Amino acid sequence: VVVLGQPVTTVFALITDREVVGVVEVETVVAIDPEHLRLVGSILRIYRNFQELLDYSERDTLTGLLNRKTFDESFLKAAAGQRQAAQADVGGDGRRAVGRMHEVYLGVVDIDHFKLVNDRHGHLIGDEVLLLLSRLMRNTFRFDDRLYRFGGEEFVVMMRCSDAQDATAVFERLRSNTEHHSFPRVGHITVSIGFTEVLASDTPSAA
């Protein structure tokens, strides 16, 4: 519905092969005509092709999660951010400022006895378990939490939380969601999770 004298908002979805990653809102004085709608559609197709090229190099082909080779760079950025936050957190009088930034936590998620799944049901069913677990992870964590398939049945999470108690609650939710999910052919599986706060001095291997 177009109301005279009111701006018109047109919404375009940013779509990849796997999901809708966002939207673009365009506000105009009048409704966008079909020719310009086609032009915007063409620009968004270019964006989609570019995003798919990035995904090909940065994402695990099975699960769609980030792959291991993107982890180190993201981790070092997070550690550098912690250093900057620590420096900004201390005022000129040497006292800590009120209202600290959320801390970065690194978690490792490992499927228990995954070799038995492959041995009993075959690698295709094992791959399905990995895919379904990655979906559970997406549904458990926030959009801006970074999820990685680190190798085999091992996954890594980097996220911001206010403290270790909040991080524990989030990882416990994933553990519980996984335990109660029924996987086709396999039934129920469990995961083991460990996590640590990312310190300003950390390297990926040290953490």
Side-chain angles (χ1 to χ4, degrees):
V1 178
V2 178
V3 180
L4 294 178
Q6 296 292 323
V8 179
T9 301
T10 308
V11 179
F12 301 91
L14 298 177
I15 303 172
T16 69
D17 277 347
R18 298 181 182 275
E19 58 193 350
V20 176
V21 296
V23 295
V24 174
E25 292 186 2
V26 179
E27 193 172 278
T28 53
V29 176
V30 296
I32 301 176
D33 61 62
E35 181 180 351
H36 286 99
L37 284 175
R38 287 193 294 273
L39 175 62
V40 173
S42 298
I43 293 171
L44 292 180
R45 279 194 295 275
I46 293 172
Y47 166 82
R48 180 175 179 174
N49 292 338
F50 177 70
Q51 189 64 46
E52 287 174 359
L53 287 173
L54 289 178
D55 284 352
Y56 182 78
S57 63
E58 295 182 352
R59 294 191 177 272
D60 174 59
T61 54
L62 174 64
T63 63
L65 302 182
L66 294 165
N67 59 30
R68 184 168 183 164
K69 70 180 182 179
T70 65
F71 170 74
D72 283 5
E73 182 180 355
S74 296
F75 183 95
L76 293 173
K77 283 182 180 178
Q82 294 299 89
R83 285 194 296 274
Q84 292 172 358
Q87 292 166 359
D89 206 23
V90 178
D93 57 1
R95 291 185 299 180
R96 299 188 72 79
V98 177
R100 293 186 64 198
M101 287 179 55
H102 285 182
E103 306 295 347
V104 178
Y105 287 87
L106 171 71
V108 178
V109 180
D110 194 82
I111 300 176
D112 298 327
H113 313 298
F114 185 68
K115 184 176 184 300
L116 292 178
V117 174
N118 283 329
D119 291 345
R120 291 174 181 172
H121 304 284
H123 288 275
L124 284 178
I125 300 300
D127 285 351
E128 185 176 36
V129 168
L130 295 173
L131 179 59
L132 292 174
L133 178 59
S134 72
R135 290 178 181 172
L136 281 174
M137 291 177 66
R138 282 198 180 97
N139 291 334
T140 300
F141 294 97
R142 297 162 300 190
F143 181 77
D144 56 348
D145 294 332
R146 298 185 69 82
L147 310 178
Y148 303 82
R149 183 183 176 196
F150 212 58
E153 71 275 22
E154 190 175 61
F155 298 83
V156 167
V157 179
M158 278 206 309
M159 64 178 182
R160 289 192 178 276
C161 285
S162 56
D163 53 34
Q165 186 175 354
D166 282 350
T168 299
V170 176
F171 285 118
E172 171 59 22
R173 185 163 67 243
L174 173 65
R175 189 205 62 75
S176 179
N177 289 347
T178 304
E179 183 179 36
H180 292 97
H181 185 82
S182 181
F183 291 81
R185 292 277 297 274
V186 175
H188 295 278
I189 66 169
T190 58
V191 293
S192 297
I193 305 172
F195 72 90
T196 184
E197 180 184 342
V198 175
L199 304 177
S201 58
D202 271 344
T203 63
S205 58

